[in-house]
């Protein structure tokens, strides 16, 4: 009994240490940029030793992937939950409204993710792992679109449901890039909604009352 209680305390303490390291790493990465942060800086921010770090992670890459998995899983769950509310028929404008209302659009996270994308682009092994994580969001969207097949038509130009899901993720990537530049979360949500509705309905979705989209780089004079 005592051994089990001790094991339980150790497990909880380890989980808390891991969570503290992840939280500290997120803050430091957002402030300084991935690739400009050392393990020592993460440990200092979390208040732990290097030993505590290496008892949880082998490297900063592994720590980042743990961070990425948290956020990627959260976004995939948000999208899945928002899309699951319809029956076989998919009301695209309504579903898009639900998705854009709840979707995580956190600028600090986008800064961290963008830094890591550049890092992964230079390392094929890291890129493969990152692509595997990104695939979960596409699968969540493709799965919902597949359930609507035969009930809700998708634009033929997108090909199959996998192609449509890839287009949705590409739209999200583009809008979040604009968000990094103009810092306007409200506009990002409105523009993403307009873009996804047009994309999935060949432009036949209901008009929205949101402000008209701005061209990439138009906001605040960004290049």
């Amino acid at each position: 009994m005592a051994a089990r209680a001790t094991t339980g305390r150790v497990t909880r303490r380890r989980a808390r240490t891991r969570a503290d390291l992840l939280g500290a790493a997120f803050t430091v990465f957002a402030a300084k940029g991935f690739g400009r942060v050392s393990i020592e800086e993460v440990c200092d921010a979390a208040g732990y030793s290097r030993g505590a770090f290496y008892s949880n992670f082998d490297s900063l890459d592994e720590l980042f992937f743990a961070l990425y998995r948290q956020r990627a899983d959260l976004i995939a769950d948000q999208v899945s939950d928002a899309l699951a509310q319809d029956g076989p028929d998919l009301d695209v404008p309504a579903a898009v409204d639900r998705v854009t209302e709840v979707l995580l659009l956190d600028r600090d996270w986008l800064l961290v993710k963008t830094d890591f994308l550049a890092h992964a682009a230079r390392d094929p092994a890291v890129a493969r792992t990152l692509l595997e994580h990104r695939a979960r969001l596409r699968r969540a969207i493709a799965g919902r679109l597949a359930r609507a097949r035969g009930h809700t038509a998708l634009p033929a130009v997108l090909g199959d449901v996998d192609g449509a899901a890839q287009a949705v993720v590409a739209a999200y990537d583009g809008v979040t890039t604009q968000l990094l530049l103009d810092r306007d979360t409200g506009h990002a949500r409105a523009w993403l909604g307009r873009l996804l509705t047009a994309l999935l309905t060949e432009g036949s979705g209901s008009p929205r009352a949101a402000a008209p989209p701005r061209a990439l780089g138009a906001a605040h004079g960004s290049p």
Side-chain angles (χ1 to χ4, degrees):
M1 181 71 70
R4 285 198 297 271
T6 300
T7 300
R9 286 196 298 271
V10 170
T11 300
R12 287 193 296 273
R13 185 166 63 248
R14 181 183 178 87
R16 185 169 62 250
T17 299
R18 182 180 176 88
D20 289 345
L21 287 167
L22 287 169
F26 178 80
T27 300
V28 176
F29 287 160
K32 299 187 66 173
F34 185 85
R36 302 176 184 87
V37 174
S38 66
I39 290 174
E40 287 78 7
E41 287 174 292
V42 173
C43 292
D44 289 345
Y48 290 107
S49 66
R50 285 176 63 93
F53 180 94
Y54 283 115
S55 69
N56 287 276
F57 305 103
D58 291 333
S59 64
L60 285 175
D61 277 3
E62 183 184 346
L63 182 151
F64 179 83
F65 278 124
L67 271 177
Y68 190 92
R69 189 178 305 112
Q70 282 183 345
R71 297 301 173 108
D73 287 352
L74 173 61
I75 291 171
D77 288 342
Q78 288 174 331
V79 171
S80 296
D81 291 346
L83 293 178
Q85 297 180 35
D86 290 324
D89 292 311
L90 181 62
D91 182 341
V92 171
V96 167
D97 278 341
R98 290 195 301 271
V99 169
T100 55
E101 181 180 350
V102 303
L103 191 62
L104 178 70
L105 289 175
D106 178 73
R107 190 170 181 275
D108 282 347
W109 167 242
L110 296 174
L111 284 169
V112 173
K113 186 180 76 167
T114 300
D115 278 340
F116 200 75
L117 283 170
H119 170 62
R122 295 179 174 89
D123 187 325
V126 176
R128 283 193 297 272
T129 304
L130 190 57
L131 286 169
E132 290 168 5
H133 287 303
R134 285 172 60 84
R136 185 187 169 195
L137 178 58
R138 290 200 305 274
R139 287 196 298 269
I141 297 169
R144 178 61 188 94
L145 295 177
R147 291 196 299 277
R149 179 179 284 174
H151 300 271
T152 303
L154 292 173
V157 71
L158 296 178
D160 58 13
V161 293
D162 290 328
Q166 187 170 353
V168 169
V169 174
Y172 171 77
D173 286 342
V175 169
T176 53
T177 297
Q178 177 70 15
L179 175 58
L180 282 174
L181 300 176
D182 66 18
R183 302 169 182 257
D184 190 341
T185 303
H187 180 267
R189 290 191 190 281
W191 179 215
L192 182 61
R194 292 166 65 89
L195 182 59
L196 291 181
T197 298
L199 180 70
L200 295 175
T201 62
E202 292 183 315
S204 61
S206 301
R208 295 170 183 270
R214 293 172 292 196
L216 182 63
H220 302 292
S222 52

